[in-house]
Amino acid sequence: RRFARVGDGTTSVIILAGEMLGVAEPLLEKKLHPTLIVSGYMQALDDALKELRSIAYEIDINSPEAVREVVRGAIDTKFSSRWGPLISDMAIKATKTVCIEKADGRKEIDIKRYAKVEKISGGELSECEVLDGVMFNKDITHPRMRRIIKKPRVVLLDCPLEYKKGESQTNVEITKESDWEKLLQQEED
């Protein structure tokens, strides 16, 4: 199905190779030499490449509409016909975000290494977006915990950072609401 995530093509290669072997079997039964069969496959490859070159055309990668049309042609399905522009634009933005231009002018686009799809339940497809940076998806553990942090300061650690409970347990009895507020303030300090 086209809706599924796209992999590295391993399954497709295996299926194609199996079909090619299946087509070659009757030729082997007719005692054709394997090198002759392989040269036929090589000729078919040359013919296919020649045909592709004849129908290929250049597009202006600086033209958003031209790029969008190519992307739409690759991912257009019944599902994306409703959300087509949104999905196409997200794909283009994600690709441009991870595009690295090498010193020799070549462009390297490594989506598997530099991009990740993070699925968050709920919401609408129209709320999807491409982020340029890092996203932390943290569960809310306290009602006062902020939902969004703008311009955060981030520390990167190469060791686990875990809260360890103390060995002694303390029970506190609170009779007034003001005492509860003082206790919370002391915990935060």
Side-chain angles (χ1 to χ4, degrees):
R1 299 175 85 180
R2 293 178 91 181
F3 303 140
R5 276 187 146 173
V6 176
D8 61 1
T10 306
T11 304
S12 301
V13 168
I14 291 170
I15 291 170
L16 182 61
E19 283 298 314
M20 291 175 74
L21 289 172
V23 170
E25 188 176 13
L27 300 173
L28 290 169
E29 288 173 356
K30 290 181 180 178
K31 306 290 185 206
L32 267 89
H33 197 276
T35 55
L36 187 60
I37 297 170
V38 170
S39 69
Y41 282 139
M42 297 305 286
Q43 181 61 49
L45 173 64
D46 290 341
D47 291 346
L49 290 172
K50 185 193 285 184
E51 183 63 25
L52 288 173
R53 284 188 195 99
S54 73
I55 63 173
Y57 59 93
E58 286 191 28
I59 63 160
D60 179 10
I61 61 170
N62 297 317
S63 165
E65 194 52 44
V67 173
R68 188 179 295 122
E69 284 303 312
V70 171
V71 172
R72 266 197 206 136
I75 64 173
D76 195 16
T77 61
K78 290 179 187 175
F79 171 75
S80 68
S81 63
R82 178 176 173 199
W83 302 101
L86 172 73
I87 293 172
S88 300
D89 291 344
M90 280 196 315
I92 293 165
K93 185 176 179 187
T95 304
K96 286 182 176 180
T97 301
V98 299
C99 181
I100 298 168
E101 190 158 345
K102 298 287 188 173
D104 62 358
R106 289 183 307 115
K107 292 184 179 182
E108 182 179 302
I109 301 170
D110 191 347
I111 298 254
K112 288 192 183 253
R113 184 173 175 193
Y114 296 114
K116 181 178 187 305
V117 175
E118 183 67 31
K119 297 176 187 172
I120 301 173
S121 338
E124 293 286 321
L125 190 61
S126 60
E127 295 174 309
C128 293
E129 60 183 289
V130 176
L131 300 176
D132 186 4
V134 180
M135 182 189 88
F136 295 96
N137 191 3
K138 180 76 176 122
D139 292 333
I140 297 164
T141 56
H142 190 275
R144 288 186 175 178
M145 190 172 169
R146 289 187 282 171
R147 306 299 196 265
I148 296 174
I149 301 171
K150 303 269 184 185
K151 297 187 178 181
R153 289 170 286 182
V154 178
V155 62
L156 299 176
L157 303 172
D158 63 351
C159 62
L161 181 65
E162 297 173 356
Y163 170 75
K164 293 186 179 182
K165 279 189 169 180
E167 290 183 24
S168 63
Q169 296 234 346
T170 307
N171 292 329
V172 177
E173 192 172 313
I174 298 173
T175 55
K176 294 186 285 185
E177 190 175 330
S178 61
D179 292 342
W180 174 251
E181 293 296 325
K182 287 178 187 174
L183 181 65
L184 286 176
Q185 188 60 43
Q186 285 178 348
E187 261 187 5
E188 286 182 19
D189 294 342

